[in-house]
Structures are given as C-alpha cells and as structure tokens.
Amino acid sequence: MTRKNAVAEPLSLTDARRLRADRARQVADVLRRQVLFGGFADGALPSEPELMIEFGTSRNTVREALRLLCGEGLVERCPGVGTVVAGEKYAHGLEVLLGLAETLGGHGEVTNQVRTTGLIEPPGEIARRLEVAAGERVVYIERLRRLDGRPLSLDLTYVARDLGGPLLAEDLAHNDIFVLLERIAGQPLGRAELTVEAVNADPHSAATLDVPRGAALLMVERMTHLADGRPVDLEYIRFRGDRITLRGTSRRGPRASPG
C-alpha cells in the first residue's frame, strides 16, 4: 500500500531524470559570476567543448546555459567567434555607506539629471520614518543617474527640511547628496538600513531608464542617519538590473536562542 504524503527520493546529480534546465542553471550561475567579476580577461568565454569538459555535461546543457546568459544581456553568441562578454555590470558594495559617485567613480563619470525638486507634504509613512512633525514639509528630489552617459538608476529622495532646503542650492547634477549632506549638517553620516528587492519596470521607470517595460530592476530602499542617529535621508532607488550587481560580506554570528 502506498503511503500518503510520502517524500520523494532526491535525484542524484547524474540521474537522467534530472532536467537539463536544472543543470544549465548550475552552469549559468558559475559563468555569470565569472562574467561579472572579470573572469574572462580577453572578453571571450571558453568554447562549448571546453565548457562541456569543465562542467562534465552535455553540449545541449552548455548551450542552454549560454542562452540564459544571453537573455540577461551578459554575453553574445557571435558566429565564427564564439561567446563573448556583451556588457559590463558594476559591483555596488553594501558594507560601506557611500554615494554612487564615490562607489563607481573609478569606472567612469557619474552625472545626475535632476528631474524634480521641491517641498512636499510627505505621506504619513515618510514623515514617521524621517521623524518630522505632522504637517511639516520635506524636500523631495528625483534624479536620473548616469554612468558615462548611460542610464543607471532612478533615485527618489526625501530629506528633512532643515538640511534639504540648503541642499537645493547646491550642485546636485555633479555631486552625491551624501557628500553635500555631511557638509551642511556639519557631521558625518553614520549608518543606513537597506532593503533590496527585485521589481519590474513600470512604464515611467522603463522610459526613464531606457529599458523595456517589465524589465528586471533592483529596488533599494535606504534610510540614512547622521552619526548622532538622526534619520535624514530616505531613498527609493531603482537600479537597472543589467548594469548593477549588489554585493557584500556576511559573517556568521551567535545564533538566536529558540523562542
């Protein structure tokens, strides 16, 4: 008699029942990191036979993995040449609190198209998080940020009025807000809480960032505090998923006790 809710036996790595798509995903994951972090110095990936040997898999699996990377815009298949790196992604670290120009300045010129600025009465959630009184206005800044002229991110920023007001008189087109805020506040920034999630490009974001509607974006919500702990800058940043990778280092700490 068959047991109800029996747990299926896991498949071995060599089991023929294991889908080629699963194996292709494994290959693509390894190759993706090499592409992103300069693992192919001359810009060319190994040949299909070389990849078959390296990963111990079939030609069809290798081709499926390369199709996945092509679909992400990371590589191109060139007849007579092979597979080559198509475009560069830039690593944005999460461990140090830096502005975009401070982070990526070594890769090219970061410029900001300031699309909207002004004083607004914020939604209750924004006011609560910035710790401003009900009815008090805050500064809103919307920027399209480019690296070497190519769209990289769409930043929506809310700043407490006493610091944001002077900020509006600064050169926002060529400076990170973080650098300007520290000068205006007379103290350094301290910490930031971040949330990262994947979102699809809405029509407005797609048009602004020059990507297809529904394209994958990395959405970063960042609440930044001054060194004294005061919250001053709340940002919603949409990064082009084909141009940025976020990375950091995690260390294992004490485990929480069972509740």
Side-chain angles (χ1 to χ4, degrees):
M1 186 168 66
T2 304
R3 286 188 306 159
K4 291 184 178 180
N5 302 321
V7 178
E9 288 294 324
L11 304 180
S12 71
L13 290 176
T14 57
D15 197 308
R17 293 173 295 168
R18 192 163 175 267
L19 295 176
R20 185 174 73 224
D22 294 334
R23 297 193 295 271
R25 194 158 45 242
Q26 277 186 303
V27 174
D29 286 345
V30 175
L31 293 177
R32 183 184 296 106
R33 190 187 192 284
Q34 292 176 279
V35 169
L36 294 179
F37 293 94
F40 306 111
D42 60 356
L45 275 67
S47 67
E48 289 181 2
E50 290 172 320
L51 291 174
M52 291 165 58
I53 294 171
E54 179 178 352
F55 290 97
T57 192
S58 69
R59 184 182 296 271
N60 284 339
T61 296
V62 166
R63 287 180 173 175
E64 179 63 24
L66 295 176
R67 276 195 290 270
L68 290 173
L69 298 180
C70 283
E72 296 173 19
L74 291 178
V75 302
E76 294 177 347
R77 307 296 300 279
C78 302
V81 176
T83 305
V84 298
V85 176
E88 186 176 3
K89 273 195 177 186
Y90 303 99
H92 193 308
L94 300 178
E95 295 159 315
V96 181
L97 186 55
L98 297 171
L100 192 65
E102 293 175 306
T103 302
L104 300 181
H107 296 286
E109 181 185 14
V110 175
T111 57
N112 312 311
Q113 177 189 339
V114 182
R115 296 171 53 85
T116 304
T117 64
L119 286 167
I120 65 166
E121 186 168 335
E125 173 67 7
I126 302 294
R128 182 188 67 78
R129 297 185 65 189
L130 286 174
E131 298 181 2
V132 301
E136 182 178 338
R137 295 195 293 174
V138 301
V139 169
Y140 173 76
I141 302 169
E142 181 176 317
R143 297 168 296 161
L144 170 61
R145 315 199 70 184
R146 292 185 171 94
L147 180 61
D148 283 343
R150 296 179 60 198
L152 186 65
S153 70
L154 177 61
D155 297 16
L156 282 56
T157 304
Y158 301 85
V159 184
R161 183 175 183 176
D162 61 320
L163 300 178
L167 193 62
L168 295 179
E170 298 286 348
D171 180 8
L172 296 174
H174 297 95
N175 289 286
D176 282 336
I177 283 180
F178 280 178
V179 174
L180 299 173
L181 275 177
E182 288 182 320
R183 179 156 54 80
I184 293 168
Q187 63 171 297
L189 298 173
R191 74 180 196 279
E193 297 93 27
L194 296 93
T195 301
V196 181
E197 61 180 314
V199 299
N200 297 117
D202 60 87
H204 171 261
S205 299
T208 304
L209 290 170
D210 193 23
V211 296
R213 292 187 183 188
L217 303 177
L218 289 174
M219 172 71 144
V220 176
E221 178 190 298
R222 181 168 61 193
M223 179 76 253
T224 303
H225 303 252
L226 292 173
D228 64 9
R230 178 191 171 190
V232 291
D233 179 300
L234 176 58
E235 297 173 279
Y236 297 89
I237 308 169
R238 289 169 172 81
F239 285 108
R240 279 183 51 156
D242 61 341
R243 301 206 66 209
I244 279 286
T245 180
L246 303 175
R247 69 178 182 184
T249 300
S250 298
R251 292 178 174 83
R252 186 168 173 83
R255 287 182 291 172
S257 301

